[in-house]
Amino acid sequence: MRVLLHACCGPCLLEPFDALVAEHDVTVLYANPNIHPAEEYRRRRDTLLEYAAGHGIQVIEEPYDPAAWMQAIAGRERTPDRRCAACFKLRLSVAARVASELGMDAIATTLTVSPYQDQVAVAEAGEKAASEAGIVYLDADFRDRYPEATRRSRELGMYRQNYCGCMLSDLEAQNAREARRDERRARRQESTES
Ligand code: SF4
């Protein structure tokens, strides 16, 4: 099959690409209007492009359109489940449209390697987008390959981001890190007082 693999970043590309290319003709699509700010978008894209260039992988980039992401998640900012479902839907709909325009048979996404994403919501978005475009969604679950993806990306010295992508996930990740720091500080204080 001719497969268009939506890729969110370089580290997440490694294992899903290798698994899919063993059976299919795979082209990669970088379509991530969710990533904020633009500098971060370019950093993740360039990490992916550098790896792809070194391995003869063909990559298509969709124009960066953060306004489309804002519109897609509008009204869902405070409900991460609904916000992320809308974000998956937007990106996989773009992938399905591009794949259909190029006469490809199927789409897949590297989001399926991440233990941090809601895999049911990813699959629902992929199935819907593909069926609307008259193509197939390859519903793979690559989470068992995440440790290897982490190991390889570290070994390759790839840029590894510490938040999902959007401005809200950046804030949420910062808050979570601060909460963990406060907890550690409180535990240390408790142990010195006892
Ligand atoms: S947290 Fe990630 S999946 Fe959810 S809306 Fe933000 S960028 Fe998209």
Side-chain angles (χ1 to χ4, degrees):
M1 274 203 284
R2 289 182 68 207
V3 177
L4 189 64
L5 173 61
H6 163 262
C8 56
C9 63
C12 286
L13 174 68
L14 301 172
E15 289 292 307
F17 181 84
D18 286 2
L20 291 169
V21 83
E23 294 183 33
H24 305 288
D25 176 4
V26 182
T27 299
V28 170
L29 175 73
Y30 191 72
N32 298 296
N34 54 314
I35 301 174
H36 176 88
E39 188 189 352
E40 176 74 15
Y41 171 88
R42 288 191 290 270
R43 193 170 184 194
R44 295 187 194 190
R45 177 200 61 193
D46 293 348
T47 300
L48 179 143
L49 290 179
E50 192 184 335
Y51 177 80
H55 293 78
I57 300 170
Q58 196 190 342
V59 181
I60 298 168
E61 181 186 4
E62 268 294 292
Y64 178 50
D65 184 6
W69 179 82
M70 295 289 291
Q71 199 180 341
I73 63 103
R76 303 176 175 91
E77 292 87 345
R78 290 172 187 277
T79 48
D81 291 356
R82 293 178 62 227
R83 180 185 85 212
C84 296
C87 180
F88 300 146
K89 184 172 170 224
L90 172 67
R91 289 186 279 166
L92 295 180
S93 296
V94 171
R97 173 182 54 75
V98 174
S100 166
E101 284 168 3
L102 294 174
M104 293 178 153
D105 307 296
I107 57 165
T109 175
T110 62
L111 293 167
T112 55
V113 80
S114 171
Y116 303 106
Q117 305 291 2
D118 176 347
Q119 293 302 332
V120 173
V122 171
E124 275 174 11
E127 297 281 4
K128 191 160 191 298
S131 95
E132 282 172 1
I135 57 172
V136 171
Y137 174 64
L138 292 182
D139 185 11
D141 183 348
F142 293 121
R143 280 176 293 182
D144 61 334
R145 300 175 77 133
Y146 185 74
E148 179 60 6
T150 304
R151 188 198 66 73
R152 283 177 69 193
S153 57
R154 286 203 174 114
E155 190 176 87
L156 290 164
M158 276 179 157
Y159 167 59
R160 294 175 48 79
Q161 60 273 5
N162 62 3
Y163 66 102
C164 183
C166 64
M167 60 188 86
L168 298 164
S169 64
D170 189 12
L171 272 175
E172 287 159 2
Q174 283 178 39
N175 290 341
R177 282 193 294 274
E178 271 168 33
R180 284 196 296 273
R181 257 199 307 273
D182 289 348
E183 212 175 292
R184 281 197 300 272
R185 203 173 296 132
R187 272 205 302 269
R188 271 200 306 273
Q189 204 165 346
E190 251 176 46
S191 69
T192 51
E193 284 169 4
S194 59

